[in-house]
Amino acid sequence: GGAGRGHFIPGAMWIIWAAWWHVNTSVCWVRGRIKSKRGHLVPSSSLSSSSAPGPRQVFSHGRARSFSARPWVEGVVPYTSLAEPVVKLALPLLGILGELYYKPVENICWHYLIYKGEFDPETVNLYIHTCLYGSVAVSGLADLLTHSSLLPRSFDKLVHVLAFVTQGMLFAVHLKGSELGIMMHKILVGLLFAYSAAAALELFVVKGDLAATFMRPFLLALCGAWICFTGVVLFPKHVNYFTMTMESMGPDLLWFLKWQMRPHLTMMVIPVYLCFYALLIFACQVLVLWIMCFLVPSGCSWRARLHNARKLLGGDTSDYKAVALSETLD
């Protein structure tokens, strides 16, 4: 739970989840941008003979069709329509079992919140982690029930936002340990509440806007990167943090000298890493969007373009070609 693996596993899940969102929403946005140009007249110099228009042509002409803002995406690959809610339901349940029942030998867990009439501190810590996993599982269940019309429409959006608000509140009361550890978890709390606000904005207020849609995977990936980084900073790789001594530190001596020797200096450096991760994630998002502009085909050959140009321009195709773009990734 509180060791490095308790940070790396959920952090990796958040990063993969954010990447899934961003790739699929980028494809949907580029596809809608291409479709919105159907029948528009575009200078021939801006068109190429390739099957994909490229970023300049996608960004510079027409208006993108708005796409529905949803808390989960069906995916552009066949047979993946319900993959995300199923995974959201299944993986957290495995995480809960791992937290409460499949622990390393050196970790003690009584499996019950109240043991012999009182709270066990370590078990309470594990139940906090269990609630974190459980909030994601409830969101996945709400997605499935809403998709099956067993819950009102938009309830999947509401539960999604509330799940991350719950995670933020749980991390807010999870602040313990050294000043360095408390500071890093406070940053994570701020990121989770920022994600909750961005999700509420995109799902309920500004629907289908690319800038708002960019924020959700950006903040989720930043949360994932930060919780992984927290595990690197606070926990050694080879020895048990809770029973660690200077004599047993051995292979983790460099870790101690780098992160723990001067904690206040580390606290000054930590925000630099946060900015670096934010810039890296945003750059990756822009790169993915550019790549999708090349990969999403226009679905129109040069003969089809010439035919539409003659039809719309009365046979004069010297200066313009008509764009006849169709959706090909159904």
Side-chain angles (χ1 to χ4, degrees):
R5 71 186 183 94
H7 294 77
F8 298 138
I9 294 175
M13 290 171 58
W14 280 350
I15 293 173
I16 295 172
W17 193 4
W20 166 261
W21 282 348
H22 184 62
V23 169
N24 283 281
T25 53
S26 295
V27 170
C28 291
W29 185 84
V30 171
R31 197 161 57 183
R33 188 82 176 183
I34 293 174
K35 289 179 65 176
S36 70
K37 295 163 61 178
R38 182 184 291 122
H40 288 192
L41 295 180
V42 182
S44 59
S45 59
S46 69
L47 295 173
S48 64
S49 60
S50 62
S51 61
R56 189 183 299 274
Q57 289 78 20
V58 172
F59 298 157
S60 60
H61 295 284
R63 295 185 58 188
R65 292 185 176 186
S66 61
F67 51 91
S68 176
R70 300 182 61 184
W72 58 281
V73 295
E74 296 185 359
V76 296
V77 181
Y79 309 110
T80 60
S81 59
L82 293 178
E84 182 178 334
V86 170
V87 171
K88 284 169 62 178
L89 180 60
L91 287 186
L93 293 179
L94 294 177
I96 292 173
L97 290 176
E99 288 286 349
L100 297 182
Y101 292 98
Y102 298 100
K103 304 295 295 180
V105 177
E106 65 272 13
N107 287 9
I108 299 175
C109 175
W110 305 112
H111 310 313
Y112 300 102
L113 187 59
I114 299 177
Y115 181 73
K116 293 183 178 180
E118 59 183 23
F119 294 112
D120 176 67
E122 293 302 322
T123 306
V124 169
N125 180 48
L126 296 179
Y127 268 87
I128 291 177
H129 292 174
T130 298
C131 291
L132 293 171
Y133 285 120
S135 62
V136 178
V138 170
S139 178
L141 180 62
D143 294 342
L144 291 173
L145 293 178
T146 304
H147 179 78
S148 304
S149 300
L150 296 176
L151 282 178
R153 294 182 61 183
S154 298
F155 263 51
D156 51 351
K157 301 179 182 180
L158 176 63
V159 176
H160 179 87
V161 174
L162 292 179
F164 280 89
V165 171
T166 300
Q167 292 182 36
M169 292 189 296
L170 288 171
F171 272 110
V173 300
H174 192 52
L175 303 177
K176 64 173 186 176
S178 64
E179 292 184 15
L180 177 60
I182 292 175
M183 174 186 173
M184 297 196 72
H185 282 83
K186 281 183 176 180
I187 293 175
L188 182 59
V189 171
L191 291 175
L192 285 169
F193 281 121
Y195 173 84
S196 302
L201 178 68
E202 196 235 339
L203 295 175
F204 295 106
V205 182
V206 186
K207 300 180 181 180
D209 181 76
L210 181 65
T213 303
F214 242 58
M215 287 301 296
R216 274 212 300 151
F218 169 78
L219 288 170
L220 186 62
L222 190 57
C223 287
W226 191 252
I227 195 171
C228 289
F229 182 60
T230 300
V232 170
V233 172
L234 299 182
F235 298 97
K237 183 178 180 180
H238 299 94
V239 298
N240 191 329
Y241 175 82
F242 301 101
T243 60
M244 180 180 61
T245 63
M246 290 299 296
E247 292 76 15
S248 65
M249 193 172 297
D252 292 300
L253 182 60
L254 292 178
W255 165 84
F256 179 81
L257 294 176
K258 181 178 182 180
W259 299 115
Q260 302 290 329
M261 188 70 176
R262 293 178 291 178
H264 288 285
L265 178 60
T266 305
M267 292 170 66
M268 294 174 62
V269 175
I270 287 301
V272 177
Y273 282 87
L274 179 64
C275 295
F276 170 77
Y277 289 137
L279 290 174
L280 179 62
I281 291 169
F282 185 78
C284 290
Q285 284 186 282
V286 174
L287 179 61
V288 167
L289 186 61
W290 283 348
I291 292 174
M292 291 303 110
C293 290
F294 287 109
L295 293 184
V296 176
S298 64
C300 181
S301 66
W302 67 272
R303 287 189 176 89
R305 297 184 184 189
L306 183 59
H307 172 76
N308 284 278
R310 287 173 175 171
K311 182 178 179 181
L312 294 177
L313 299 174
D316 183 8
T317 61
S318 58
D319 295 324
Y320 290 88
K321 292 182 181 179
V323 179
L325 302 173
S326 61
E327 186 174 3
T328 62
L329 291 181
D330 288 333

